Amino acid sequence: MVRMTFLGTGGGRFATIYQARATGGIYLEDGKNLHIDPGPGALVRMRSVGIDPLKTDAILISHCHPDHYLDAEILIEAMTEGGTRKQGVLLASQSVIEGNGDFGPAISKYHLAKPRVVKVMHAFNKIGLKPLEISATPSAHSDTSGIGFKIQSSQGVISYVADTQLVEQVIKAHKHSRVVVACVTRPLGQRIPHHLSTEDAGYLMEKIKPELAVITHFGMRVIQENPETQAKWIEERSGVKTIAARDFMMVELKKEGAVVTDRIRQTPEK
Ligand SMILES: [Zn+2]
Ligand SMILES: [Zn+2]
């Protein structure tokens, strides 16, 4: 079984600044524990649902905007048991690790020396992380080295379409995914460059036809216009079951299908 916990569903500048939704990224469990895009508050959100940050095997970062990377250094310290063990994997865009034009680097040299593997991921690069396999997918974003991810899991392929404009390459790269998680920053009728709007997500899902679409990373205007309304529009347009993610929502993917619940808040282990 694959389990995804949404430690945040906000994104873009103002939803992040005001914490209109949490911005802690996604924690995925399937033999290994991955943390995708640990934005501001990721550690705080992990604590509120009782996820132990030390139980992190890999950190995946799509690009060098703070709503996607801000808590990464502390999470590297957690993954490496306070920096005492050379373990864990960091997979990130070139901007995050080396810098790309005005963007990054986002991780200090000190922290880059801690994990067992640090790898700059360009589109179509692949890495095995048994039992998972992770591929980087193309993006067309203001950080030109930005990527998305495709995770070959025990339950088929899970796609994470990070911040990007809708281009043919992105659609193609995510074909054959069972679940597509997409960052939708803008609502219907309010498209801006470099990001997915509700219309874009509708077109994307119609072309990919996954079993389940999950939209997340809501900008302030999506929140004002109601994410559920955007999800319903995408579902009607694409014919794909579409869910607007909620903070602390959990998607459990089994052979028979996906079960969506809210992660019960537990007492933190430490
Ligand atoms: Zn973003
Ligand atoms: Zn961005």
Side-chain angles (χ1 to χ4, degrees):
M1 185 184 68
V2 181
R3 185 154 68 173
M4 273 185 282
T5 303
F6 289 78
L7 295 169
T9 56
R13 289 197 184 95
F14 290 99
T16 304
I17 290 168
Y18 288 112
Q19 289 289 292
R21 290 274 186 121
T23 51
I26 301 167
Y27 185 73
L28 186 149
E29 299 160 82
D30 183 24
K32 287 270 176 4
N33 302 326
L34 313 183
H35 199 132
I36 306 166
D37 280 353
L43 277 294
V44 175
R45 307 302 175 176
M46 291 177 98
R47 183 167 178 86
S48 39
V49 284
I51 296 172
D52 182 352
L54 269 62
K55 292 182 180 153
T56 305
D57 299 301
I59 302 168
L60 280 56
I61 306 174
S62 63
H63 67 288
C64 202
H65 281 151
D67 49 335
H68 299 258
Y69 74 72
L70 201 82
D71 275 11
E73 288 179 339
I74 307 289
L75 201 55
I76 289 171
E77 293 190 7
M79 183 168 73
T80 58
E81 294 185 26
T84 62
R85 283 169 193 265
K86 203 163 178 65
Q87 61 189 19
V89 175
L90 171 68
L91 307 175
S93 65
Q94 183 184 24
S95 48
V96 167
I97 294 174
E98 297 172 346
N100 172 41
D102 290 343
F103 296 103
I107 315 279
S108 73
K109 280 184 196 149
Y110 171 84
H111 290 95
L112 286 177
K114 299 296 175 190
R116 184 175 54 83
V117 175
V118 172
K119 186 169 164 50
V120 170
M121 295 289 275
H122 297 284
F124 309 111
N125 285 169
K126 216 179 249 186
I127 185 166
L129 205 69
K130 276 187 184 159
L132 308 171
E133 190 182 71
I134 295 157
S135 321
T137 57
S139 274
H141 194 40
S142 44
D143 170 359
T144 54
S145 67
I147 48 173
F149 294 105
K150 221 168 149 172
I151 298 157
Q152 179 70 56
S153 75
S154 64
Q155 302 299 325
V157 176
I158 296 170
S159 276
Y160 174 67
V161 182
D163 286 352
T164 182
Q165 200 154 316
L166 187 65
V167 293
E168 203 51 46
Q169 266 190 301
V170 171
I171 300 169
K172 211 172 141 199
H174 292 282
K175 286 250 163 89
H176 312 299
S177 290
R178 200 175 159 199
V179 177
V180 175
V181 179
C183 290
V184 175
T185 312
R186 300 286 285 200
L188 281 171
Q190 299 188 42
R191 182 186 279 128
I192 47 166
H194 309 305
H195 291 276
L196 293 180
S197 68
T198 299
E199 289 92 336
D200 297 327
Y203 187 78
L204 177 75
M205 300 310 170
E206 190 188 354
K207 292 291 168 196
I208 303 176
K209 288 272 181 211
E211 188 180 312
L212 176 70
V214 181
I215 56 168
T216 186
H217 184 281
F218 306 130
M220 212 48 147
R221 286 170 193 247
V222 176
I223 296 166
Q224 284 159 359
E225 302 279 326
N226 192 359
E228 313 283 336
T229 310
Q230 311 305 311
K232 193 162 175 277
W233 191 93
I234 295 166
E235 183 165 314
E236 279 165 12
R237 155 87 205 232
S238 64
V240 174
K241 183 175 165 52
T242 305
I243 296 170
R246 307 176 292 271
D247 288 347
F248 305 121
M249 186 180 89
M250 196 160 77
V251 177
E252 289 177 316
L253 190 62
K254 302 172 185 177
K255 221 181 259 159
E256 319 79 74
V259 179
V260 179
T261 52
D262 290 300
R263 192 155 183 153
I264 297 163
R265 295 178 187 227
Q266 300 162 346
T267 312
E269 291 170 16
K270 286 194 175 66

